[in-house]
Amino acid sequence: MFQVLSKQFLALPLILVVIVIPLYFSVNFRGPKPGEISSSQSEETPMATNAFGVKVEKNPAQSKLTELGVTAWPKWSCGPSKFPWSFTATETMYLLEGKVIVQVDGHEGSFTIGAGDLAVFPKGMKVTWDVIEAVNKHYSLEK
């Protein structure tokens, strides 16, 4: 009788480890279901940063791009190159393709913008653009 009971008690921890614990974690610590929006991916709180006075929003919601009318903005393209640029008006741009390392005059360091980024450069800002992957963008100049 004792041997039978001890085998049953030994099997209990094995059942816990193999079945119960993985089931608990799969139910309580899962990611969002398809179609759900997690708090970090909410359309209401896109990831935006401010780099040297330039507002950069990574992958803004399609609803925001539609509201801004981005697809009706003019387009500009450029191959890999490096050049200085002065913004004579506040410019909002949405990069369709490419990657640019931006160095703002008067500041140490740089930041990168790339495909899917919405960036706003203030009027009067002087930068050096280092286009490391050919750029195709929509842009809008504030009047």
Side-chain angles (χ1 to χ4, degrees):
M1 175 80 175
F2 180 71
Q3 287 181 336
V4 171
L5 286 176
S6 66
K7 285 182 183 179
Q8 288 174 339
F9 284 114
L10 289 176
L12 185 59
L14 184 60
I15 291 171
L16 282 173
V17 171
V18 174
I19 298 172
V20 176
I21 293 173
L23 181 62
Y24 173 80
F25 281 105
S26 70
V27 170
N28 291 302
F29 298 102
R30 62 172 183 78
K33 290 181 182 175
E36 284 183 343
I37 297 176
S38 71
S39 61
S40 65
Q41 296 174 333
S42 171
E43 281 199 17
E44 301 303 318
T45 57
M47 191 171 102
T49 59
N50 191 321
F52 306 105
V54 179
K55 182 180 174 188
V56 179
E57 192 173 322
K58 303 280 184 191
N59 299 309
Q62 184 60 48
S63 59
K64 180 170 187 171
L65 298 176
T66 301
E67 179 183 324
L68 292 171
V70 170
T71 58
W73 294 353
K75 276 185 160 181
W76 181 83
S77 298
C78 176
S81 55
K82 187 173 184 175
F83 55 91
W85 188 257
S86 295
F87 291 91
T88 57
T90 297
E91 181 174 335
T92 303
M93 61 183 70
Y94 178 70
L95 277 72
L96 299 165
E97 300 174 317
K99 187 180 282 187
V100 180
I101 297 172
V102 181
Q103 184 174 3
V104 178
D105 287 6
H107 295 277
E108 291 290 321
S110 61
F111 63 96
T112 302
I113 55 175
D117 290 349
L118 181 70
V120 181
F121 287 83
K123 178 181 180 176
M125 179 172 275
K126 295 179 181 184
V127 301
T128 299
W129 270 51
D130 186 358
V131 180
I132 56 176
E133 292 177 13
V135 168
N136 186 14
K137 70 174 187 173
H138 282 289
Y139 69 95
S140 174
L141 302 176
E142 190 176 281
K143 297 175 183 175

